């Protein structure tokens, strides 16, 4: 599956929900199921600190692919992380670097990316993008 | 929508919006300068707001009322000018653990510049200031004690009179951050005898971008200006400049002349609203405290000391998640550190949810909030 296809799949998943609370419920479910992130890796250099939720993000290159792991202390953010990892982790740096990162916007979660709230998610996307560009 | 973020900014009444609009559209002339009729009207509006504020907070003289852009600018002005006049290397400033960043950072900046240091008065588990410790914090080097009348997180009315008495008995002046206090408690600076008092217009139903610093004349006269420029001068030449008398000495540049006149209708509107919140305070305090999942911060023994401002955490549920879900249920609350990181550290939390009520909120809305909060918690835990 290409990155574009993965994105489309997520957008389609979200199109089933009419109600906001159902979207959140779904994200909370994804958040709870997110692959555990080791406590020992919740270090300050991996921490993206915001006024609201905190996000930890770690990445490595393996076999030419960028692999991401992440966690948050807030469940809805964690659910969004789960979507982002599904779409971006395990792709080549150039595939990621060329992406427009419109996913969160397209599933109607723009409010979660409001720059004024200085939340971890905004910085997380910036970090994914920077990691990709550095490894192209 | 149920708006429960009144502590961040208030909902302005029609009379305020009308005055503000009138000043912007019908009375647009810069103040204190020109001689034409419109400029005189706008100057009169501005200066009569000063009289209204003076009366409202019980200050002795209109020269003690300085208009600023808000509490934050008031405190920065005070920290700079007070620091220049009175603070030397090795001196100390006392702040409390429950202060908003705006009542911490300007003092840190001034102390760094002057080689002075900050001492902190703590709060107990219930959010009450540890008053018995205040006296021992005061030394011959203490230049000023800075305390919020009501913390923007804890919502407890601090005993100003008692604090001022303790400090004055040690010869130490007191600054009171009244950003939240002025909204929920009648203020009389002469009675409380505090030496400085600051508040914002937008939290007390006046226009945003307006604020006040009150200071006792004897201090203000000795303090140098904060900013130089227009309005604040008596005469300017390259061999030297002399400053205007109070209050203009501290009002450099064009002030918010469209917004400041709205203090008058705001004061008139709010004057009979004090204590209209008692039913909500009783209901909310009991509802939050009786729920085992919830921890309420700011819980005085006497409910009369509680403002309608409730910060809490929920076991196993993140403040951001709760606020996002409540938003989609039509309820606006604040979440996060609330510009009070030291207080968050004090309680060992990364943030809180805060529901703050205004005079327009009804007991039914409080009940609806509790119902939605319960639903939100059940979605998360």
């Amino acid at each position: 599956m290409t990155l574009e296809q993965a994105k489309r799949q997520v957008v389609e998943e979200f199109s089933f929900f009419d109600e906001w609370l159902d979207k959140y419920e779904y994200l909370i479910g994804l958040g709870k199921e997110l692959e555990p992130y080791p406590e020992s890796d919740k270090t300050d250099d991996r921490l993206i600190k915001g006024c609201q939720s905190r996000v930890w993000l770690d990445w490595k290159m393996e076999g030419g692919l960028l692999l991401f792991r992440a966690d948050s202390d807030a469940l809805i953010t964690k659910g969004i992380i789960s979507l982002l990892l599904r779409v971006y982790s395990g792709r080549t740096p150039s595939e990621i670097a060329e992406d427009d990162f419109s996913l969160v916007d397209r599933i109607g979660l723009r409010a979660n990316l409001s720059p004024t709230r200085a939340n971890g998610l905004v910085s997380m996307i910036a970090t994914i993008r920077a990691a990709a560009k550095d490894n192209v | 929508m149920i708006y429960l973020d009144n502590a961040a900014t208030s909902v302005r009444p029609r009379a305020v919006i009308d005055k503000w609009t009138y000043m912007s559209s019908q009375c647009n002339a810069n103040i204190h300068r020109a001689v034409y009729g419109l400029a005189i009207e706008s100057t009169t509006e501005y200066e009569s707001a000063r009289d209204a504020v003076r009366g409202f907070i019980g200050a002795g003289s209109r020269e003690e009322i300085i208009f600023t852009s808000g509490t934050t600018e008031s405190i920065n002005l005070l920290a700079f000018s007070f620091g220049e006049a009175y603070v030397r290397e090795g001196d100390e400033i006392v702040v409390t653990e429950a202060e908003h960043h705006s009542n911490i950072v300007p003092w840190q900046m001034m102390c760094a510049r002057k080689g002075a240091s900050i001492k902190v008065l703590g709060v107990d588990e219930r959010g009450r200031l540890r008053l018995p410790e205040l006296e021992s914090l005061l030394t011959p080097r203490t230049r000023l004690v800075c305390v919020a009348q009501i913390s923007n997180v804890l919502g407890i009315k601090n005993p100003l009179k008692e604090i001022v008495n303790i400090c004055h008995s040690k010869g130490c002046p007191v600054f009171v951050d009244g950003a939240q206090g002025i909204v929920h408690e009648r203020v009389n600076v002469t009675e409380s005898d505090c030496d400085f008092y600051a508040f914002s217009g937008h939290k007390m139903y006046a226009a945003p971008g307006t604020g006040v610093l009150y200071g006792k004349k004897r201090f203000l006269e000795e303090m140098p200006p904060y900013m130089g420029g227009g309005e604040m001068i008596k005469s300017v030449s390259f061999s030297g400049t002399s400053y205007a008398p109070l209050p203009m000495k501290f009002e450099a540049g064009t002030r918010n002349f469209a917004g400041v006149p709205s203090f008058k209708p705001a004061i008139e509107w709010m004057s009979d609203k004090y204590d209209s919140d008692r039913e909500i305070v009783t209901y909310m305090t009991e509802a939050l405290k009786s729920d085992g999942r919830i921890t309420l911060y700011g819980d005085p023994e006497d409910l009369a000391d509680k403002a309608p401002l409730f910060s809490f955490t929920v076991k196993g549920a993140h403040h951001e998640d709760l606020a996002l879900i409540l938003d989609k249920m039509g309820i606006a609350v604040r979440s996060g550190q609330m510009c009070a990181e030291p207080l968050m550290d004090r309680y060992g939390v990364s943030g809180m949810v805060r529901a703050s009520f205004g005079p327009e909120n009804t007991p039914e809305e409080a009940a609806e909030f509790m119902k939605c909060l319960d639903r939100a918690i059940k979605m998360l835990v």
Side-chain angles (χ1 to χ4, degrees):
Chain A
M1 195 187 292
T2 65
L3 193 155
E4 196 48 48
Q5 284 168 329
K7 251 164 66 174
R8 219 171 298 142
Q9 197 188 59
V10 170
V11 172
E12 219 162 276
E13 260 171 49
F14 267 80
S15 67
F16 292 125
F17 302 113
D18 293 330
E19 294 292 326
W20 264 102
L21 289 178
D22 295 334
K23 277 189 198 179
Y24 278 167
E25 202 124 50
Y26 180 65
L27 284 169
I28 289 165
L30 289 177
K32 285 180 176 164
E33 285 161 18
L34 184 68
E35 190 189 333
Y37 180 99
E39 284 298 317
S40 57
D41 285 350
K42 287 190 177 174
T43 53
D44 279 351
D45 58 325
R46 296 179 177 95
L47 173 66
I48 300 164
K49 199 179 169 208
C51 174
Q52 306 277 334
S53 52
R54 287 178 293 178
V55 171
W56 292 267
L57 177 69
D58 196 18
W59 58 267
K60 60 178 178 188
M61 282 292 291
E62 216 173 83
L65 300 177
L66 256 177
L67 301 178
F68 294 98
R69 282 182 317 165
D71 199 1
S72 173
D73 53 355
L75 270 177
I76 294 173
T77 297
K78 221 167 147 175
I80 299 172
I81 286 174
S82 158
L83 294 175
L84 290 171
L85 294 193
R86 199 206 304 172
V87 171
Y88 294 104
S89 191
R91 310 241 166 234
T92 63
S94 57
E95 204 180 353
I96 298 171
E98 281 159 23
D99 187 61
D100 63 1
F101 287 85
S102 61
L103 176 69
V104 178
D105 204 1
R106 275 163 67 185
I107 55 179
L109 294 173
R110 178 177 265 282
N112 297 58
L113 291 176
S114 154
T116 54
R117 289 187 37 235
N119 67 2
L121 215 50
V122 180
S123 312
M124 179 182 168
I125 289 174
T127 308
I128 291 177
R129 193 178 246 167
K133 282 191 173 148
D134 287 350
N135 286 286
V136 169
Chain B
M1 173 184 162
I2 302 177
Y3 179 75
L4 299 182
D5 199 15
N6 292 274
T9 199
S10 60
V11 181
R12 276 160 278 285
R14 173 52 56 191
V16 163
I17 293 165
D18 286 349
K19 175 63 84 178
W20 189 17
T21 308
Y22 174 77
M23 293 309 298
S24 313
S25 58
Q26 308 292 309
C27 193
N28 180 50
N30 208 333
I31 48 173
H32 297 143
R33 293 175 172 102
V35 296
Y36 51 86
L38 200 62
I40 289 165
E41 187 188 344
S42 110
T43 302
T44 307
E45 288 279 2
Y46 183 89
E47 288 303 328
S48 70
R50 199 187 306 275
D51 293 324
V53 168
R54 186 209 64 74
F56 184 52
I57 65 168
S61 153
R62 66 192 314 280
E63 295 167 302
E64 297 176 319
I65 306 297
I66 298 159
F67 285 123
T68 64
S69 66
T71 310
T72 297
E73 193 194 30
S74 296
I75 301 176
N76 276 275
L77 185 167
L78 179 63
F80 178 85
S81 300
F82 185 90
E84 287 303 298
Y86 304 112
V87 180
R88 307 282 169 270
E89 196 176 335
D91 284 348
E92 294 157 0
I93 301 289
V94 172
V95 302
T96 91
E97 206 172 24
E99 298 310 308
H100 188 284
H101 293 163
S102 289
N103 202 19
I104 299 174
V105 183
W107 303 112
Q108 287 176 326
M109 289 162 66
M110 185 271 280
C111 285
R113 215 172 52 241
K114 292 288 170 182
S117 61
I118 289 195
K119 284 183 155 182
V120 181
L121 177 67
V123 295
D124 66 14
E125 277 302 308
R126 299 183 75 156
R128 298 167 302 185
L129 289 176
R130 294 188 190 278
L131 268 199
E133 289 168 22
L134 176 58
E135 204 163 333
S136 62
L137 279 177
L138 303 176
T139 74
R141 302 306 301 266
T142 312
R143 291 290 160 259
L144 188 66
V145 172
C146 308
V147 58
Q149 184 180 354
I150 296 178
S151 140
N152 68 311
V153 176
L154 301 169
I156 295 179
K157 300 171 184 173
N158 288 322
L160 287 194
K161 188 76 194 131
E162 201 182 329
I163 293 169
V164 170
N165 285 345
I166 294 170
C167 297
H168 283 183
S169 74
K170 294 267 187 174
C172 180
V174 179
F175 161 65
V176 176
D177 171 355
Q180 301 295 336
I182 197 148
V183 186
H184 302 295
E185 233 182 341
R186 280 176 212 282
V187 173
N188 188 307
V189 292
T190 305
E191 230 164 73
S192 74
D193 204 24
C194 65
D195 302 275
F196 300 98
Y197 186 87
F199 59 97
S200 297
H202 75 101
K203 289 194 203 288
M204 54 157 282
Y205 320 104
T210 61
V212 170
L213 175 66
Y214 157 82
K216 284 183 182 164
K217 211 194 270 182
R218 64 184 174 93
F219 289 111
L220 294 181
E221 273 170 349
E222 286 179 359
M223 286 160 46
Y226 172 49
M227 292 197 295
E231 296 275 14
M232 53 73 73
I233 51 92
K234 192 154 102 193
S235 79
V236 178
S237 75
F238 286 110
S239 59
T241 291
S242 57
Y243 306 129
L246 291 173
M248 305 311 293
K249 182 170 93 176
F250 291 105
E251 293 187 7
T254 297
R255 301 275 104 184
N256 186 349
F257 62 80
V260 164
S262 73
F263 268 112
K264 225 170 145 180
I267 288 167
E268 279 161 19
W269 186 82
M270 73 189 285
S271 288
D272 63 353
K273 303 288 187 296
Y274 288 103
D275 297 323
S276 63
D277 54 23
R278 291 298 94 192
E279 188 182 343
I280 286 176
V281 167
T282 306
Y283 168 78
M284 283 296 296
T285 306
E286 272 160 22
L288 290 167
K289 275 173 74 177
S290 63
D291 192 321
R293 303 166 297 181
I294 295 170
T295 307
L296 173 68
Y297 302 88
D299 176 27
E301 275 131 356
D302 186 351
L303 271 187
D305 295 334
K306 180 76 179 167
L309 185 169
F310 307 91
S311 299
F312 58 89
T313 53
V314 175
K315 205 170 172 220
H318 195 277
H319 47 86
E320 181 186 64
D321 289 329
L322 288 167
L324 283 170
I325 294 170
L326 285 167
D327 172 46
K328 299 304 177 204
M329 294 176 173
I331 296 179
V333 292
R334 181 70 196 275
S335 61
Q337 298 169 337
M338 255 100 65
C339 301
E341 234 182 298
L343 195 59
M344 298 299 125
D345 292 343
R346 157 70 179 81
Y347 289 110
V349 298
S350 67
M352 298 175 184
V353 177
R354 180 185 70 193
S356 55
F357 294 73
E360 306 282 80
N361 292 123
T362 62
E364 291 71 35
E365 288 178 327
E368 176 66 13
F369 166 75
M370 287 308 300
K371 218 171 79 194
C372 290
L373 177 63
D374 176 63
R375 270 177 68 205
I377 295 173
K378 283 178 178 150
M379 279 176 70
L380 290 161
V381 183

